[in-house]
Amino acid sequence: MQNCHYPKHNPLMNRRVFLSNTISAATVSLLPATSSHAAIDLAQPALPYAPEALEPHIDAMTMNIHHGKHHAAYIKNLGDALKAANLPQKHVMELIADLSAVPEAQRTLVRNNGGGHVNHSWFWNWMAPAGSGPQGPEGKLGEAIQGTFGSIADFKKVFADAGTKRFGSGWAWLIITKDGRLKVTSTPNQDNPLMKGIVADEDLGTPLLGLDVWEHAYYLKYQNKRPDYIAAWWSVVNWNQVAKSFASAQV
Ligand code: MN3
């Protein structure tokens, strides 16, 4: 595992957003503005808290295995696939956003492992120790969520349903779509809302929050009870991070 220098504000979120006065008119670019983060493409971000810091909601052993084994394996496999494809140094987000640029022999590997690397790099920062920040969306983010979903509780229900009903492995997402709307979506496996041609056009967007509903994310503590995991997970959502991402999507 390489040392890396991810600032607290996740650089994967740092993509250019075109000018708009209102979120409803925002046009959100799905690609990073530069390839300045290319050097950390295959570097694994350290957990921004101790593995036990999310207990009792998420247990330390799950965090250690999830970060140290699963995420690390996605990075290893992604690196192998990029090497086999002889791809030039390029930001992994550009690759997963347009997989047509990846040779067919490595495309599925890059889709799964590139998605896995990006999704988990986000995911660690979308969580924080319970009580360390706001308990829910506040300010403009809170207003936007209420305006879109009716209430915070309604948003949580829609999001939890997306995670609960995702058959097999995958993710639930809160995104800003290209036309600037908040939307809850879900993807299978390690697909994510950046993946043009993989995800339906209307579900493309910038992720503000995502929830891993693979069994490896919860099985040790919650076994088959995915809804219990999701209910507990709300206690460790890093709403400060979500608010930062939301603000940067409205520049
Ligand atoms: Mn996972």
Side-chain angles (χ1 to χ4, degrees):
M1 196 180 308
Q2 302 173 51
N3 187 26
C4 77
H5 306 282
Y6 270 46
K8 284 199 168 59
H9 188 81
N10 189 339
L12 290 174
M13 290 294 191
N14 186 16
R15 60 185 63 88
R16 184 172 301 283
V17 177
F18 292 104
L19 291 177
S20 168
N21 290 326
T22 66
I23 179 175
S24 61
T27 302
V28 180
S29 169
L30 302 181
L31 293 177
T34 71
S35 58
S36 61
H37 300 301
I40 57 167
D41 264 2
L42 298 178
Q44 184 172 24
L47 284 178
Y49 35 75
E52 65 274 19
L54 305 183
E55 290 193 353
H57 310 288
I58 311 289
D59 62 286
M61 183 178 287
T62 293
M63 290 302 295
N64 277 321
I65 296 172
H66 200 175
H67 180 267
K69 303 297 184 186
H70 290 280
H71 187 180
Y74 296 129
I75 294 171
K76 163 74 166 62
N77 294 336
L78 175 63
D80 291 348
L82 294 178
K83 193 173 177 185
N86 196 28
L87 284 165
Q89 183 76 24
K90 195 176 179 185
H91 198 285
V92 64
M93 296 223 316
E94 293 180 36
L95 289 173
I96 64 168
D98 183 9
L99 287 157
S100 66
V102 178
E104 199 171 346
Q106 284 85 33
R107 195 170 298 156
T108 299
L109 286 167
V110 172
R111 173 181 174 180
N112 290 338
N113 294 288
H117 178 29
V118 169
N119 294 347
H120 288 83
S121 296
W122 287 330
F123 187 54
W124 313 130
N125 282 334
W126 281 328
M127 297 187 288
S132 64
Q135 298 301 295
E138 298 177 343
K140 288 184 177 175
L141 172 64
E143 289 168 17
I145 287 177
Q146 289 177 53
T148 301
F149 299 98
S151 70
I152 305 301
D154 286 328
F155 156 69
K156 286 186 171 181
K157 183 173 187 312
V158 171
F159 188 96
D161 280 352
T164 302
K165 291 173 181 169
R166 163 53 54 196
F167 184 77
S169 298
W171 292 73
W173 304 98
L174 172 65
I175 66 169
I176 297 185
T177 62
K178 284 176 287 186
D179 58 357
R181 292 176 300 111
L182 291 180
K183 187 174 184 182
V184 167
T185 69
S186 172
T187 55
N189 303 315
Q190 297 295 357
D191 292 350
N192 73 34
L194 302 180
M195 293 181 173
K196 289 190 282 285
I198 301 286
V199 168
D201 285 351
E202 62 268 26
D203 288 344
L204 289 171
T206 300
L208 300 180
L209 179 65
L211 171 60
D212 187 340
V213 296
W214 284 58
E215 284 187 346
H216 68 223
Y218 64 86
Y219 203 85
L220 291 177
K221 183 175 176 70
Y222 296 96
Q223 294 84 45
N224 59 316
K225 299 183 286 289
R226 186 188 290 181
D228 290 1
Y229 157 66
I230 296 175
W233 178 77
W234 291 116
S235 296
V236 295
V237 169
N238 183 353
W239 288 107
N240 281 329
Q241 178 62 54
V242 182
K244 277 186 203 169
S245 302
F246 179 67
S248 70
Q250 296 184 94
V251 170

